[in-house]
Amino acid sequence: MQTFLELTAKYVYEKYKENISDLCIILPSRRASFFFKNALAQAAPEPIWSPEVSGMEDFITRLAKTDVLEPINLQLELYDLMREQDPTLDFDQFVTWGGTLLDDFSRIDQNMVDTGKLFEYLTEAKALERWDPKYLGKELSPTMKKYFSLWDNVEKTYHNLKKRLLQNKQAYTGMAFRKVANDIEGIAKDPGCAQYIFIGLNALTSSEEKIIKTLLKHDKAEVLFDSDDFYMEEGSPNRAGSFLRKYKSTWKLPEWRWQQNLLLTEEKEINVIGVANASMQGKLAGQLLQEIRQQDKHAQVAIIMPDETLLLPVLHSIPDEVPNYNVTMGLSFKGTPLFNLIDLLFDVHLTGVTQLQESGYKVYQYHHLSVTKLLTHPFIRRYALYLNEQPEQAKYHGFIQNVIDKIVQENRVLITANELLRMGDHQPLFETLFKSWRDCDDIIASMYSLIDMLREVYSHKPNAIETEYLYIFYTIVKRLDTIFDCREQKISVRSFRKFLNELISSQRLPFSGEPISEVQIMGMLETRALDFENVIILSVNENTLPAPKRHESLMPYDVLREFGLPTYSETEGAMAYNFYRLLQRAKRVNLLYVLPSDTYGSGEKSRFILQLQNDLALRNPRIRFRDLTAAVDQKQTKKYDEDIVIQKDAQTLEQLKKELQRGLYPSHLNMYINCSLQYYFSRIAKIKEMDEVEEQLGADQFGTIVHQVLEDFFRPFEQNGNPIEEQHVAQMLLQLPKQVELEFKKTTRGATPERGMNYLLFKVAVQVLEKYLEGLKASEELPLYVLRLEDTLDATLAVQVGGEIVPVRVAGKADRIDLTGNELRVIDYKTGKVERNQLVVKPEDVALHFTTDPKYDKARQLWLYQYILQRTLQQSPDTILRNGQHLDSQRIIPKSGILSFRNLDAGVLSSEFNFMEADQVTPKEFVAASEELLSDLVRRMLDPQEPIRKTNDLDVCQYCPYRGICAR
């Protein structure tokens, strides 16, 4: 296969060999220049002095003889000039569009636009925008005035910027192109270059066209194009040839070099392969490369990535049999762990809130999620490990994990910088990460400090690639430190981050390799003018190849079209040319795309695939076109048993007995009946739920607040033995809002009741408690004697299990035990809704379902409370009746009840337990019947023939903390 550059090198050598060193050869890119030099060396049979070979942009910069400034320096210059027109211009606002405006200026100059006419057109367009019948007779809002004044100032700023840059012999890219285009007549007469040869160009700007045409007019240039009949046909709708067709028809070249007929005549194998997800493309590319190299050890292969994020998956998939390959694109710094760390650091400082403290001062607080993400970053973890290895730093061993644990334990939603520094004992790392930033000097100082700390880590345990990241980041910070004067330029954290990201996005971690290696891994733009026999292109999906339609200009679309400025259609045309030109000389082409799905990177096939399938492949019978789908070959399969069964061996039975001796509470009993596996995980295996910071009040915390407020109100009456009367309840109602707020702050710690969902829940808590107290005030329950609050009652039951007596402690923690009239009540508070019908137990259901059916959970709770209460009254009544000595214990009626705060109108809900003998007529004594039921349940729990397994009722799993273990 003869490549395009080999063809041009041979042509140039044969035509100009007498004065070849006096030539200036211009190609689309530096990479193409390097490959051309190699091709020229191959074409020349003897050693020669090389001509000057350069990429188009380098060529223009050299001719312009000006210093092309970096975008950041230009943006600061632009801001200073715009402030002269509008002193109120906000820098944070400016940075959101300043870069785009500079790009517009550059495109205007690159395309030699008549700026007088352009800005006049823009002024008239904005005047029409201003003229709106809605606003007739009305004054424009300040925002609208600012918007229109910006456009009024754009023309002045454009001219002022150019004037200032020219004075300093500086320029932006487009300005350099325009300068060369304006000076090209003089340059053409300069004897410096005998002949200018432009090779493989396409999608030229107006300034580039003018430069080339002027040199052609003076017989100082020759242009060598790479085109194909397929897309060069007159009237062809294929955008790949849109630029070249125009040049061919309008430039009046003596001879059009070259147009070949490769796509329609050459033999090719084109495989279109759909894959399940984006990262799988890397794996498949490695396999395809291996296949090609097995067939031909020296095959030339290009793996092309329109999506740069796939570089690492591709590199990890290169087979070991391919020791040498060249990576042209460089690893984006944005994809590195260090960039992620810097991004998280900015998130900490940007996602906090300012809160007014009781002292009246505003304090800046960081959000717990940002802080935790930052402290769990691998680089910070590595620093913590490094500290743990330093004996002299013993007081800081494990300090990062301690801080994370403390944030969770104290439920710190928002944490001030000073609190974090105190938690971290003012360790230098915490000073670096969490000290408040007042200006960009503080930010830069933090960055330098962080770099020094990480450098210290890597000096002890070297890591070449991460040390390289660190060095690149240091150079970026150094550049920003040089550019910014933080005392003069009031740059916010957000603006500094934008500038930092702009520099980072242009940085690449370079790979070293043989530039003309047989295997090349490159981006789409780097393929310009290059040819390969074997081509593997990844991400051939719409919105990746070609790129999505984006309007990346402040100018309206009609202005761009009117003045010949590039739009997305020109971008698509250029990309189409690069794609088809790459296929011209290729023999084997593999196009990988992600199949439509919900995964990242998926989408429909690129239009290029459809064009190949429905046009080119049909017109060229020598093309073997295959549409394939990649399938994963599963070599090993593991059988997954959905059920989890734990046999009750001797050890498990012993643990169950110990747990029953510790206490069988209503919640434990219900848990075992609902799902014995959940009981096992919670009570036997002791698997704890992961603690997390809760920003929003959870249902459990809401219940805690309601419980605690009532406990605060009733506790004095439990201690002094006095009954609660109507006037006491009236006093409670007055204190209620403050008491709820106090408990809210205690329970949630970091969260506050002043905003969002928490504010609504705070109001709901006040409302339900108010309704309850109002109802209590008017009820016949008064006077109410409070006997016990938040206290545990228990009774021991000896259960015969086989030949063994197992003592079971039946226990329950009562929210309240009170006495109203002659009723002794155990009250359980429920913040959820409980209906009376949930507590009804039919006598005939007791034996069959009462201790097996989850629907009786509330009734079982009341049953256990009542059983414990009656046993306590029988055995030691004084432990309960401390404040009820005025009543004869024989007259007391023990009851258990639920107070549902979402069903307060129903009052205290209780259940009737009418236990019957087998004949369903003779009533059973409550305590004896209860002990019989409990004994049966305990024997079932300790039955080795009944294993522990997960429930089949998925409703039970919905809020279970262990559902992940069960894969539910």
Side-chain angles (χ1 to χ4, degrees), residues 406-443:
K406 197 170 184 181
I407 288 169
V408 175
Q409 286 162 14
E410 297 181 3
N411 203 62
R412 302 300 296 273
V413 178
L414 297 167
I415 320 149
T416 66
N418 286 336
E419 284 169 339
L420 269 170
L421 294 175
R422 272 200 303 276
M423 283 182 187
D425 205 11
H426 291 273
Q427 207 277 340
L429 177 69
F430 270 48
E431 293 277 347
T432 298
L433 298 179
F434 301 120
K435 206 168 182 183
S436 297
W437 292 340
R438 293 160 301 176
D439 55 30
C440 63
D441 276 336
D442 287 346
I443 303 174

Short mmCIF file of all heavy atoms in Angstrom, two decimals, residues 406-443:
data_model
loop_
_atom_site.label_atom_id
_atom_site.label_comp_id
_atom_site.label_asym_id
_atom_site.label_seq_id
_atom_site.Cartn_x
_atom_site.Cartn_y
_atom_site.Cartn_z
N LYS A 406 -16.49 10.42 63.64
CA LYS A 406 -17.09 11.43 64.52
C LYS A 406 -18.20 12.21 63.81
O LYS A 406 -19.24 12.51 64.39
CB LYS A 406 -16.01 12.39 65.02
CG LYS A 406 -16.44 13.20 66.24
CD LYS A 406 -15.25 13.93 66.84
CE LYS A 406 -15.68 14.66 68.11
NZ LYS A 406 -14.57 15.41 68.72
N ILE A 407 -17.98 12.50 62.52
CA ILE A 407 -18.99 13.22 61.73
C ILE A 407 -20.27 12.40 61.68
O ILE A 407 -21.38 12.93 61.83
CB ILE A 407 -18.46 13.50 60.30
CG1 ILE A 407 -17.38 14.59 60.33
CG2 ILE A 407 -19.59 13.93 59.36
CD1 ILE A 407 -16.61 14.75 59.03
N VAL A 408 -20.13 11.07 61.49
CA VAL A 408 -21.30 10.19 61.42
C VAL A 408 -21.96 10.06 62.79
O VAL A 408 -23.18 10.19 62.92
CB VAL A 408 -20.90 8.80 60.86
CG1 VAL A 408 -22.08 7.84 60.90
CG2 VAL A 408 -20.39 8.94 59.44
N GLN A 409 -21.15 9.80 63.82
CA GLN A 409 -21.70 9.62 65.18
C GLN A 409 -22.48 10.84 65.64
O GLN A 409 -23.55 10.72 66.24
CB GLN A 409 -20.56 9.35 66.17
CG GLN A 409 -19.97 7.95 66.06
CD GLN A 409 -18.60 7.88 66.73
OE1 GLN A 409 -18.19 8.77 67.48
NE2 GLN A 409 -17.85 6.80 66.44
N GLU A 410 -21.96 12.02 65.33
CA GLU A 410 -22.62 13.25 65.78
C GLU A 410 -23.60 13.79 64.75
O GLU A 410 -24.19 14.86 64.95
CB GLU A 410 -21.56 14.31 66.11
CG GLU A 410 -20.64 13.90 67.25
CD GLU A 410 -19.61 14.97 67.57
OE1 GLU A 410 -19.65 16.06 66.93
OE2 GLU A 410 -18.78 14.73 68.47
N ASN A 411 -23.77 13.03 63.64
CA ASN A 411 -24.70 13.43 62.58
C ASN A 411 -24.48 14.88 62.14
O ASN A 411 -25.40 15.69 62.04
CB ASN A 411 -26.16 13.24 63.03
CG ASN A 411 -27.10 13.10 61.84
OD1 ASN A 411 -26.97 12.18 61.05
ND2 ASN A 411 -28.02 14.02 61.69
N ARG A 412 -23.22 15.19 61.85
CA ARG A 412 -22.86 16.57 61.52
C ARG A 412 -23.11 16.81 60.03
O ARG A 412 -22.29 16.46 59.19
CB ARG A 412 -21.39 16.83 61.86
CG ARG A 412 -21.04 16.60 63.31
CD ARG A 412 -21.83 17.50 64.25
NE ARG A 412 -21.51 18.88 64.05
CZ ARG A 412 -20.49 19.50 64.64
NH1 ARG A 412 -19.71 18.85 65.47
NH2 ARG A 412 -20.27 20.77 64.40
N VAL A 413 -24.24 17.40 59.72
CA VAL A 413 -24.59 17.69 58.33
C VAL A 413 -23.71 18.81 57.81
O VAL A 413 -23.19 18.75 56.71
CB VAL A 413 -26.08 18.05 58.19
CG1 VAL A 413 -26.42 18.40 56.75
CG2 VAL A 413 -26.95 16.89 58.66
N LEU A 414 -23.57 19.86 58.61
CA LEU A 414 -22.73 21.01 58.24
C LEU A 414 -21.68 21.21 59.32
O LEU A 414 -21.99 21.16 60.51
CB LEU A 414 -23.60 22.27 58.09
CG LEU A 414 -24.65 22.22 56.97
CD1 LEU A 414 -25.63 23.38 57.11
CD2 LEU A 414 -24.00 22.27 55.60
N ILE A 415 -20.44 21.44 58.89
CA ILE A 415 -19.33 21.55 59.84
C ILE A 415 -18.53 22.81 59.49
O ILE A 415 -18.17 23.00 58.33
CB ILE A 415 -18.40 20.32 59.75
CG1 ILE A 415 -19.21 19.04 59.59
CG2 ILE A 415 -17.50 20.23 60.96
CD1 ILE A 415 -18.52 17.98 58.81
N THR A 416 -18.26 23.62 60.48
CA THR A 416 -17.46 24.83 60.20
C THR A 416 -15.99 24.44 60.02
O THR A 416 -15.55 23.38 60.47
CB THR A 416 -17.56 25.85 61.36
OG1 THR A 416 -16.94 25.29 62.52
CG2 THR A 416 -19.01 26.19 61.67
N ALA A 417 -15.27 25.33 59.37
CA ALA A 417 -13.84 25.10 59.12
C ALA A 417 -13.10 24.92 60.45
O ALA A 417 -12.28 24.01 60.61
CB ALA A 417 -13.26 26.27 58.34
N ASN A 418 -13.44 25.76 61.44
CA ASN A 418 -12.75 25.68 62.74
C ASN A 418 -13.02 24.37 63.45
O ASN A 418 -12.14 23.80 64.08
CB ASN A 418 -13.17 26.86 63.64
CG ASN A 418 -12.53 28.16 63.18
OD1 ASN A 418 -11.50 28.15 62.52
ND2 ASN A 418 -13.16 29.29 63.50
N GLU A 419 -14.28 23.88 63.32
CA GLU A 419 -14.62 22.60 63.95
C GLU A 419 -13.82 21.46 63.31
O GLU A 419 -13.34 20.56 64.00
CB GLU A 419 -16.12 22.32 63.81
CG GLU A 419 -16.97 23.15 64.76
CD GLU A 419 -18.45 23.07 64.46
OE1 GLU A 419 -18.84 22.73 63.31
OE2 GLU A 419 -19.24 23.37 65.36
N LEU A 420 -13.69 21.51 61.98
CA LEU A 420 -12.92 20.47 61.29
C LEU A 420 -11.45 20.51 61.71
O LEU A 420 -10.82 19.48 61.91
CB LEU A 420 -13.03 20.66 59.78
CG LEU A 420 -14.17 19.91 59.09
CD1 LEU A 420 -14.31 20.38 57.65
CD2 LEU A 420 -13.95 18.41 59.11
N LEU A 421 -10.91 21.72 61.82
CA LEU A 421 -9.52 21.86 62.23
C LEU A 421 -9.33 21.32 63.64
O LEU A 421 -8.32 20.67 63.94
CB LEU A 421 -9.08 23.33 62.15
CG LEU A 421 -9.03 23.93 60.73
CD1 LEU A 421 -8.69 25.41 60.79
CD2 LEU A 421 -8.02 23.20 59.85
N ARG A 422 -10.32 21.59 64.52
CA ARG A 422 -10.23 21.06 65.90
C ARG A 422 -10.32 19.53 65.90
O ARG A 422 -9.58 18.85 66.58
CB ARG A 422 -11.37 21.64 66.76
CG ARG A 422 -11.02 22.96 67.42
CD ARG A 422 -11.91 23.26 68.61
NE ARG A 422 -13.33 23.27 68.25
CZ ARG A 422 -13.97 24.31 67.74
NH1 ARG A 422 -13.31 25.45 67.52
NH2 ARG A 422 -15.25 24.25 67.45
N MET A 423 -11.26 19.00 65.10
CA MET A 423 -11.41 17.53 65.00
C MET A 423 -10.11 16.89 64.54
O MET A 423 -9.74 15.81 65.00
CB MET A 423 -12.52 17.17 64.00
CG MET A 423 -13.93 17.34 64.51
SD MET A 423 -15.08 16.80 63.20
CE MET A 423 -16.64 17.27 63.90
N GLY A 424 -9.43 17.53 63.60
CA GLY A 424 -8.17 17.01 63.05
C GLY A 424 -6.96 17.43 63.84
O GLY A 424 -5.82 17.22 63.39
N ASP A 425 -7.18 18.04 65.01
CA ASP A 425 -6.09 18.45 65.90
C ASP A 425 -5.09 19.35 65.18
O ASP A 425 -3.88 19.27 65.42
CB ASP A 425 -5.40 17.20 66.46
CG ASP A 425 -4.71 17.49 67.79
OD1 ASP A 425 -4.94 18.58 68.35
OD2 ASP A 425 -3.94 16.64 68.25
N HIS A 426 -5.60 20.18 64.24
CA HIS A 426 -4.80 21.15 63.48
C HIS A 426 -3.63 20.49 62.75
O HIS A 426 -2.57 21.09 62.55
CB HIS A 426 -4.30 22.28 64.38
CG HIS A 426 -5.41 23.18 64.84
ND1 HIS A 426 -5.84 24.26 64.12
CD2 HIS A 426 -6.20 23.12 65.94
CE1 HIS A 426 -6.84 24.85 64.77
NE2 HIS A 426 -7.09 24.18 65.86
N GLN A 427 -3.82 19.23 62.34
CA GLN A 427 -2.81 18.54 61.53
C GLN A 427 -2.61 19.33 60.23
O GLN A 427 -3.57 19.85 59.67
CB GLN A 427 -3.31 17.12 61.24
CG GLN A 427 -2.20 16.11 61.00
CD GLN A 427 -1.69 16.12 59.58
OE1 GLN A 427 -2.38 16.59 58.67
NE2 GLN A 427 -0.48 15.62 59.37
N PRO A 428 -1.38 19.46 59.73
CA PRO A 428 -1.13 20.29 58.53
C PRO A 428 -2.02 19.95 57.34
O PRO A 428 -2.40 20.84 56.58
CB PRO A 428 0.35 20.02 58.22
CG PRO A 428 0.94 19.67 59.54
CD PRO A 428 -0.12 18.96 60.31
N LEU A 429 -2.35 18.66 57.14
CA LEU A 429 -3.23 18.29 56.02
C LEU A 429 -4.59 18.96 56.15
O LEU A 429 -5.13 19.49 55.18
CB LEU A 429 -3.41 16.77 55.97
CG LEU A 429 -4.37 16.29 54.87
CD1 LEU A 429 -3.75 16.50 53.48
CD2 LEU A 429 -4.74 14.82 55.05
N PHE A 430 -5.14 18.97 57.37
CA PHE A 430 -6.46 19.60 57.59
C PHE A 430 -6.37 21.11 57.43
O PHE A 430 -7.29 21.74 56.94
CB PHE A 430 -6.99 19.22 58.98
CG PHE A 430 -7.83 17.97 58.97
CD1 PHE A 430 -7.37 16.84 58.31
CD2 PHE A 430 -9.07 17.90 59.59
CE1 PHE A 430 -8.12 15.68 58.27
CE2 PHE A 430 -9.83 16.76 59.55
CZ PHE A 430 -9.35 15.63 58.90
N GLU A 431 -5.25 21.69 57.85
CA GLU A 431 -5.04 23.13 57.64
C GLU A 431 -5.06 23.45 56.15
O GLU A 431 -5.63 24.44 55.70
CB GLU A 431 -3.70 23.57 58.25
CG GLU A 431 -3.63 23.48 59.76
CD GLU A 431 -4.22 24.70 60.45
OE1 GLU A 431 -4.47 25.72 59.77
OE2 GLU A 431 -4.46 24.62 61.68
N THR A 432 -4.44 22.57 55.35
CA THR A 432 -4.37 22.76 53.90
C THR A 432 -5.74 22.61 53.24
O THR A 432 -6.12 23.41 52.38
CB THR A 432 -3.39 21.74 53.29
OG1 THR A 432 -2.10 21.98 53.84
CG2 THR A 432 -3.33 21.85 51.78
N LEU A 433 -6.47 21.58 53.65
CA LEU A 433 -7.73 21.26 52.97
C LEU A 433 -8.90 22.15 53.41
O LEU A 433 -9.74 22.51 52.59
CB LEU A 433 -8.12 19.79 53.23
CG LEU A 433 -7.16 18.71 52.72
CD1 LEU A 433 -7.68 17.33 53.09
CD2 LEU A 433 -6.97 18.81 51.22
N PHE A 434 -8.96 22.49 54.70
CA PHE A 434 -10.20 23.06 55.23
C PHE A 434 -10.11 24.50 55.72
O PHE A 434 -11.13 25.08 56.09
CB PHE A 434 -10.74 22.17 56.36
CG PHE A 434 -11.02 20.76 55.91
CD1 PHE A 434 -10.37 19.69 56.50
CD2 PHE A 434 -11.91 20.52 54.88
CE1 PHE A 434 -10.61 18.39 56.08
CE2 PHE A 434 -12.16 19.22 54.45
CZ PHE A 434 -11.51 18.16 55.06
N LYS A 435 -8.92 25.07 55.71
CA LYS A 435 -8.82 26.48 56.12
C LYS A 435 -9.57 27.33 55.09
O LYS A 435 -9.44 27.13 53.89
CB LYS A 435 -7.36 26.90 56.19
CG LYS A 435 -7.12 28.05 57.15
CD LYS A 435 -5.63 28.23 57.39
CE LYS A 435 -5.42 29.36 58.38
NZ LYS A 435 -4.00 29.60 58.59
N SER A 436 -10.39 28.26 55.56
CA SER A 436 -11.22 29.07 54.64
C SER A 436 -10.34 29.85 53.67
O SER A 436 -9.30 30.38 54.05
CB SER A 436 -12.10 30.04 55.42
OG SER A 436 -12.99 29.32 56.23
N TRP A 437 -10.80 29.95 52.41
CA TRP A 437 -10.10 30.71 51.37
C TRP A 437 -10.70 32.10 51.28
O TRP A 437 -11.89 32.25 51.01
CB TRP A 437 -10.24 30.00 50.02
CG TRP A 437 -9.53 28.69 49.92
CD1 TRP A 437 -8.50 28.26 50.70
CD2 TRP A 437 -9.77 27.64 48.97
NE1 TRP A 437 -8.09 27.01 50.31
CE2 TRP A 437 -8.85 26.61 49.25
CE3 TRP A 437 -10.67 27.49 47.92
CZ2 TRP A 437 -8.82 25.43 48.52
CZ3 TRP A 437 -10.63 26.31 47.17
CH2 TRP A 437 -9.71 25.29 47.48
N ARG A 438 -9.85 33.12 51.47
CA ARG A 438 -10.35 34.50 51.36
C ARG A 438 -10.11 35.07 49.96
O ARG A 438 -10.87 35.87 49.47
CB ARG A 438 -9.65 35.40 52.40
CG ARG A 438 -10.00 35.09 53.84
CD ARG A 438 -8.96 35.63 54.78
NE ARG A 438 -7.63 35.06 54.47
CZ ARG A 438 -6.52 35.43 55.09
NH1 ARG A 438 -6.55 36.36 56.01
NH2 ARG A 438 -5.37 34.87 54.76
N ASP A 439 -8.99 34.67 49.34
CA ASP A 439 -8.70 35.15 47.98
C ASP A 439 -7.86 34.08 47.27
O ASP A 439 -7.57 33.02 47.84
CB ASP A 439 -7.96 36.50 48.01
CG ASP A 439 -6.70 36.46 48.85
OD1 ASP A 439 -6.09 35.36 48.92
OD2 ASP A 439 -6.33 37.48 49.44
N CYS A 440 -7.47 34.38 46.02
CA CYS A 440 -6.78 33.34 45.25
C CYS A 440 -5.38 33.07 45.79
O CYS A 440 -4.80 32.01 45.52
CB CYS A 440 -6.78 33.65 43.76
SG CYS A 440 -5.91 35.14 43.28
N ASP A 441 -4.79 33.99 46.57
CA ASP A 441 -3.50 33.71 47.22
C ASP A 441 -3.64 32.51 48.16
O ASP A 441 -2.75 31.64 48.22
CB ASP A 441 -3.03 34.93 48.02
CG ASP A 441 -2.29 35.93 47.13
OD1 ASP A 441 -1.76 35.50 46.10
OD2 ASP A 441 -2.25 37.12 47.48
N ASP A 442 -4.77 32.47 48.90
CA ASP A 442 -5.01 31.35 49.82
C ASP A 442 -5.17 30.04 49.06
O ASP A 442 -4.69 28.99 49.49
CB ASP A 442 -6.29 31.60 50.65
CG ASP A 442 -6.09 32.67 51.70
OD1 ASP A 442 -4.93 33.01 51.97
OD2 ASP A 442 -7.09 33.16 52.25
N ILE A 443 -5.87 30.11 47.90
CA ILE A 443 -6.08 28.89 47.10
C ILE A 443 -4.74 28.37 46.60
O ILE A 443 -4.43 27.18 46.73
CB ILE A 443 -7.03 29.17 45.90
CG1 ILE A 443 -8.37 29.73 46.37
CG2 ILE A 443 -7.24 27.90 45.09
CD1 ILE A 443 -9.30 30.17 45.24
#
